[in-house]
Amino acid sequence: MTEMLSYEFMQRALIAAVFTGLAAPAIGTFLVQRRLALLGDGIGHVALTGVALGLLTGIAPVLTAVAVAIVGAVVIELLRMFGRTSGDVALAILFYGGLSGGVLLTNLAGESAASLNTYLFGSITTVSDGDLKIVAILAVLVISLAVGLSPQLFAVCQDEEHARVSGVPVRVYSILIAVLAAVTITVAMRTVGLLLVSALMVVPVAASQQLTRSFRTTHAAAMAIGLVAALGGVVSSYEINTQPGPTIVMLALAVFAVAALFGAATRRVRSRRHPVDFGRGDI
Amino acid sequence: MSTDSTQPLKARGVSVALDGRPVLRQVDLDVSAGEFVALLGANGSGKSTFVRAATGLVPMSNGTVELFGTPLDRFHDRHRLGYVPQRSRAVAGVPATVHEVVMSGRLAHRRLFGWSTKADAAAVDAAISRVGLPDRHRSSLSELSGGQQQRVLIARALASQAELLIMDEPTAGVDHDNQESLAELLGGLVHEGTSVLLVAHELGPLRPLIDRAIVLHAGEVAYEGPCEGLVGEDHAHVHAHTGQPPIPEGLTGEGVWR
């Protein structure tokens, strides 16, 4: 452990893991609440085109990825608001367009698709000081907005129409959620990679809601699970010599499996202790 | 048009087209202060569309809506309006407690990035007690029955101190006992001065509370008048004898035929 911590690249990897592990579920909770769990995946694919654009133009891929991902996220939201395309078809189009655009532009840049690999599955151990600064700033932005505006975002994601009638500027918040998701994806790009980033936004939320009843606890527990999975994943990937991205996601899935079993067991015990009371109108 | 800031809802000539197909044609509808108005009609008659147009959820192709004397697009006192959507939309993808859902009705009173105040908490507690769920604060919405979820959505509207409740089919899929407690709740609210516009397919136990019924048929007002005329079940179907449009059975001539 101390040996691992003595490497600078591991220190940076662990710091990046802390930011990613907290930021991804912080915004992911709202995507799950809105039943748009796969939106992160769609934006991730679009960000791949952004990375390739960076490789082609010589601009830092993190910057082109964040720009293209934000544009993609806003376009999805506008399609959802005004378009006649249903949500899942819009997502499918993003998946295919983003992936093929990414590979195509990389080819045009004269690089093999293999150079996309570090972005597809993450390469947390090659994070530079400059990368770390961008990751930290963007992650703090995402976390503070996702937590600070949670009453508003909760209302929009819980019942969009009620929020609109209540005078909440639903379009502004919808676009904010999509943009924060896009920023998070670029933050997590170096940690878990674009193909798995959505997992870190969704799996901790799925795990925590096995055990919770309130939104606030689900939100906080999801961030805690994300943090544990990201840190644990980086440490174990060092120990067992695997890629950090998939290791982090497998760890999060393991937490989900345990939570699902535990949640099912406690619900069963609870329903035995408190059988449904028909007289109270519980049905 | 006179502007009466005490009249909760005044709609004139409301027309709505969805995908180019006219759904509402020239509908006039008023809800006066303290009045309980039922909007009835068969599926596809346009009753839900009217409610969505009156709350600004779907654009009108023609007509005007005034809420408390202010045109809809300039109406900012949103807390005076309590929208109770169809219950099927109540449960989202992440668990939420009764308290959290009702608290979201307080947004109009809260500042950005602010904690909820004591006044918010008191209004939420009062609203949850008002709908008869004081021991279910910490329950997850998905643990409640359909009728209880409906009451939570009403509590969310009450938490904003709404003066006009607009309810879209609150009785749909709710058993008779829960419909009766809903009737009791709404009766109390109207008695205290709340105005209600309620969309329903059938009235059931709510019937004695209704001051005025409006029946929509094919997007137009087919009947407007007192509820006493409604005998038998309130299902809309074609009246074979009179050749009248499909309207609730047993309507008498007390109201105004269009």
Side-chain angles (χ1 to χ4, degrees):
Chain A
M1 193 65 133
T2 32
E3 178 209 317
M4 181 188 81
L5 288 175
S6 67
Y7 293 114
E8 257 183 51
F9 72 88
M10 281 308 288
Q11 295 168 6
R12 283 197 292 267
L14 287 170
I15 296 172
V18 168
F19 285 122
T20 320
L22 288 173
I27 190 68
T29 305
F30 295 106
L31 297 183
V32 175
Q33 191 192 9
R34 233 177 170 190
R35 302 191 194 281
L36 283 176
L38 288 177
L39 181 70
D41 229 341
I43 302 175
H45 281 65
V46 174
L48 189 66
T49 299
V51 168
L53 200 65
L55 294 175
L56 186 65
T57 56
I59 304 170
V62 178
L63 296 178
T64 49
V66 85
V68 172
I70 287 175
V71 170
V74 172
V75 168
I76 302 174
E77 268 314 308
L78 293 178
L79 275 179
R80 257 170 40 83
M81 280 175 204
F82 302 108
R84 300 178 54 94
T85 320
S86 71
D88 61 334
V89 172
L91 276 180
I93 289 170
L94 280 187
F95 276 46
Y96 310 138
L99 195 56
S100 50
V103 175
L104 198 75
L105 288 179
T106 312
N107 290 345
L108 288 178
E111 303 211 23
S112 75
S115 55
L116 283 180
N117 236 328
T118 56
Y119 298 96
L120 283 175
F121 298 106
S123 62
I124 198 170
T125 47
T126 62
V127 172
S128 69
D129 273 339
D131 290 338
L132 198 57
K133 263 184 208 140
I134 298 177
V135 163
I137 293 169
L138 294 180
V140 168
L141 181 81
V142 168
I143 296 167
S144 44
L145 285 176
V147 174
L149 290 175
S150 70
Q152 284 76 16
L153 300 180
F154 170 84
V156 169
C157 297
Q158 180 73 21
D159 188 339
E160 186 170 327
E161 297 199 334
H162 177 264
R164 267 175 73 186
V165 174
S166 313
V168 178
V170 167
R171 281 181 187 155
V172 174
Y173 286 118
S174 295
I175 287 177
L176 179 70
I177 290 170
V179 167
L180 289 180
V183 171
T184 308
I185 280 153
T186 342
V187 167
M189 178 170 80
R190 301 303 299 271
T191 329
V192 289
L194 292 172
L195 285 187
L196 290 175
V197 61
S198 191
L200 202 52
M201 300 172 91
V202 172
V203 177
V205 185
S208 80
Q209 66 180 4
Q210 301 296 319
L211 307 168
T212 55
R213 287 170 157 188
S214 77
F215 180 84
R216 195 186 279 190
T217 331
T218 310
H219 200 193
M223 288 171 71
I225 293 170
L227 180 65
V228 168
L231 280 177
V234 169
V235 172
S236 11
S237 72
Y238 176 85
E239 302 287 347
I240 60 176
N241 203 16
T242 51
Q243 269 186 292
T247 317
I248 291 171
V249 173
M250 286 311 288
L251 204 58
L253 285 170
V255 175
F256 169 76
V258 173
L261 282 174
F262 192 73
T266 48
R267 273 192 296 274
R268 208 161 162 179
V269 169
R270 205 182 289 152
S271 66
R272 264 193 210 153
R273 270 194 209 143
H274 303 283
V276 176
D277 183 351
F278 287 84
R280 246 178 30 187
D282 278 358
I283 290 296
Chain B
M1 192 184 290
S2 68
T3 52
D4 180 359
S5 65
T6 58
Q7 178 164 354
L9 177 68
K10 181 174 184 173
R12 289 291 174 274
V14 172
S15 300
V16 173
L18 298 177
D19 294 334
R21 191 174 55 89
V23 180
L24 283 180
R25 281 176 260 234
Q26 298 288 323
V27 173
D28 295 346
L29 194 153
D30 289 313
V31 179
S32 305
E35 198 180 19
F36 193 146
V37 177
L39 184 57
L40 304 168
N43 288 333
S45 59
K47 56 193 192 303
S48 283
T49 305
F50 175 82
V51 161
R52 295 168 63 77
T55 49
L57 286 172
V58 296
M60 292 179 279
S61 52
N62 231 319
T64 56
V65 169
E66 281 186 9
L67 293 163
F68 301 99
T70 309
L72 180 61
D73 52 353
R74 284 194 276 127
F75 180 70
H76 297 302
D77 289 342
R78 289 286 175 157
H79 66 94
R80 298 177 77 181
L81 174 64
Y83 175 57
V84 184
Q86 292 190 15
R87 174 176 52 83
S88 56
R89 312 178 45 89
V91 178
V94 171
T97 61
V98 170
H99 185 88
E100 287 175 320
V101 172
V102 176
M103 183 60 93
S104 70
R106 290 291 297 174
L107 268 190
H109 297 267
R110 291 179 63 178
R111 284 177 301 134
L112 282 180
F113 296 104
W115 296 103
S116 55
T117 62
K118 276 186 182 159
D120 293 327
V124 168
D125 286 347
I128 295 174
S129 300
R130 191 71 187 79
V131 301
L133 296 169
D135 53 344
R136 304 310 292 264
H137 267 258
R138 307 282 160 215
S139 296
S140 179
L141 205 60
S142 57
E143 296 168 356
L144 303 184
S145 71
Q148 290 173 327
Q149 286 178 4
Q150 189 67 56
R151 283 190 258 162
V152 173
L153 298 188
I154 296 171
R156 178 175 65 182
L158 296 180
S160 77
Q161 275 131 23
E163 294 159 55
L164 169 64
L165 287 182
I166 297 189
M167 312 179 73
D168 198 353
E169 305 238 25
T171 50
V174 172
D175 64 58
H176 190 267
D177 283 355
N178 269 304
Q179 287 195 22
E180 290 209 318
S181 45
L182 182 69
E184 200 178 315
L185 167 64
L186 292 178
L189 290 170
V190 170
H191 183 72
E192 290 159 23
T194 309
S195 317
V196 178
L197 174 63
L198 176 137
V199 170
H201 186 64
E202 50 188 309
L203 288 174
L206 295 174
R207 207 165 149 143
L209 303 169
I210 312 287
D211 294 314
R212 196 153 48 86
I214 291 161
V215 179
L216 285 185
H217 169 61
E220 290 177 290
V221 176
Y223 171 85
E224 178 172 359
C227 209
E228 285 73 43
L230 300 165
V231 294
E233 252 326 303
D234 317 315
H235 292 297
H237 66 92
V238 179
H239 211 280
H241 307 295
T242 59
Q244 292 289 357
I247 48 126
E249 186 180 350
L251 279 177
T252 67
E254 275 182 82
V256 183
W257 291 100
R258 304 283 169 98

